[in-house]
């Protein structure tokens, strides 16, 4: 049991929240918070690799985030594009394998091209698996999976459903970390998080440091996971 408790989470989900509040506290526009948040992603990726995590899923833009002001959405698109253009070579060099989760058809075409290239270029990389959730919602993901499965015209089992999700082939989430104090999942990877440990930290995403991230992993390691069974 000690082994299990101290184990490194294989798959971590990040609900990167609090960019806007962080910026507001500094009297800056929300887009400034998103920019700082984007910088922190690099640190999260590096630290995840150092911790020995296998896969990281980042919630970058939800299916509900379309409700935000046009200018904020525009600023986010620019940042996503900038991220893929400026980081791709480094991520590739670091053996990171990128997977996009979400319907890219709703974004400007250029975004689709960049994300396709990111996935294609890094497809054979064997290091950290980095999933980026863009225009992602768990319910939309399940609907997409069901529509793909329905064509088979026969009943399906749990494994087939899980395999029709964006995370096909990856382990379930062991840990979901949400920054900025909110304690909810906001439509993030609901099926993959069925038995995930949830860790909420008050620091906003732009303020997340390697130390705080390590604290979240330590918190996870203190938990006893039972998966419905009993422990002695
Ligand atoms: C998270 O920060 C980034 C996205 C949702 C894109 P928020 O923008 O939600 O920041 P708060 O929650 O308003 O502070
Ligand atoms: C969740 O954060 C979405 C992302 C982190 C991309 P939100 O800020 O959109 O969630 P709510 O509205 O507080 O639930
Ligand atoms: Mg928020």
């Amino acid at each position: 049991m000690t082994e299990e408790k101290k184990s490194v989470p294989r798959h971590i989900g990040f609900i990167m929240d609090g960019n806007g509040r962080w910026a507001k506290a500094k009297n800056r526009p929300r887009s400034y918070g998103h920019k700082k948040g984007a910088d922190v992603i690099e640190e999260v990726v590096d630290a995840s690799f150092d911790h020995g995590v296998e896969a990281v899923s980042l919630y970058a833009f939800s299916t509900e985030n379309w409700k935000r002001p046009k200018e904020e959405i525009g600023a986010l698109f620019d940042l996503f594009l900038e991220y893929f253009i400026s980081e791709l070579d480094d991520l590739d060099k670091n053996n990171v394998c990128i997977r996009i989760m979400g319907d890219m058809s709703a974004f400007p075409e250029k975004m689709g091209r960049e994300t396709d290239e990111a996935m294609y270029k890094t497809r054979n990389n064997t290091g950290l698996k980095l999933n980026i959730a863009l225009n992602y919602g768990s319910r939309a993901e399940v609907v997409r999976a069901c529509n793909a499965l329905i064509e088979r015209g026969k009943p399906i089992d749990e494994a087939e459903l899980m395999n029709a999700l964006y995370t096909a082939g990856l382990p379930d989430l062991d840990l979901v970390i949400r920054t900025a104090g909110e304690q909810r999942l906001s439509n993030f990877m609901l099926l993959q998080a069925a038995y995930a440990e949830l860790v909420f930290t008050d620091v906003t995403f732009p303020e997340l440091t390697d130390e705080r991230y390590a604290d979240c992993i330590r918190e996870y390691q203190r938990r006893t996971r039972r998966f419905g069974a009993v422990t002695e």
Side-chain angles (χ1 to χ4, degrees), residues 15-17 21 59-62 65 68 178 182 184 186:
I15 304 179
M16 310 184 286
D17 200 17
R21 277 165 280 172
Y59 206 6
F61 193 86
S62 76
N65 286 149
R68 295 189 178 203
R178 182 169 186 147
E182 244 57 83
R184 55 177 170 258
S186 303

Side-chain angles (χ1 to χ4, degrees), residues 11 13 20-21 24 30 51 55 61 118 125 137 166 182 202 210 228 231:
H11 188 178
R21 277 165 280 172
K24 191 170 180 224
R30 295 178 58 83
H51 283 292
F61 193 86
N125 289 351
Y166 290 113
E182 244 57 83
D202 283 336
D210 287 352
T231 42

Side-chain angles (χ1 to χ4, degrees), residues 93-162:
K93 259 188 231 126
N94 290 331
N95 204 19
V96 172
C97 178
I98 298 170
R99 191 185 296 200
I100 303 295
M101 309 194 290
D103 177 10
M104 295 309 294
S105 68
F107 287 110
E109 229 174 273
K110 196 163 164 35
M111 263 287 275
R113 279 200 299 275
E114 294 300 334
T115 51
D116 280 351
E117 197 202 325
M119 284 193 280
Y120 186 75
K121 191 168 181 171
T122 65
R123 71 195 182 288
N124 295 322
N125 289 351
T126 54
L128 182 79
K129 295 181 176 79
L130 179 64
N131 306 324
I132 304 178
L134 283 167
N135 190 21
Y136 173 89
S138 195
R139 289 182 176 184
E141 178 185 38
V142 171
V143 167
R144 174 181 174 270
C146 290
N147 282 326
L149 290 165
I150 226 164
E151 288 174 12
R152 299 189 198 174
K154 61 178 180 64
I156 55 149
D157 61 21
E158 288 189 12
E160 285 169 315
L161 175 61
M162 293 309 285

Side-chain angles (χ1 to χ4, degrees), residues 1 19 29 50 58 61 64 70 73 80 89 96 119-120 140 143 158 168 181 184 187 194 209 213 217 223 230:
M1 279 330 282
N19 294 353
D50 292 344
L58 302 175
F61 193 86
E64 289 74 37
K70 260 209 190 84
I73 294 174
F80 297 149
D89 284 346
V96 172
M119 284 193 280
Y120 186 75
V143 167
E158 288 189 12
R184 55 177 170 258
N187 202 13
T209 57
Y213 182 19
I217 293 180
R223 306 272 178 92
V230 283

Side-chain angles (χ1 to χ4, degrees), residues 164-208:
L165 302 180
Y166 290 113
T167 43
L170 296 177
D172 279 353
L173 288 168
D174 293 306
L175 167 61
V176 173
I177 297 171
R178 182 169 186 147
T179 56
E182 244 57 83
Q183 303 195 349
R184 55 177 170 258
L185 290 173
S186 303
N187 202 13
F188 182 62
M189 299 179 80
L190 304 180
L191 296 193
Q192 297 91 334
Y195 269 98
E197 295 300 323
L198 310 179
V199 171
F200 302 104
T201 171
D202 283 336
V203 296
T204 62
F205 192 70
E207 292 170 302
L208 187 76

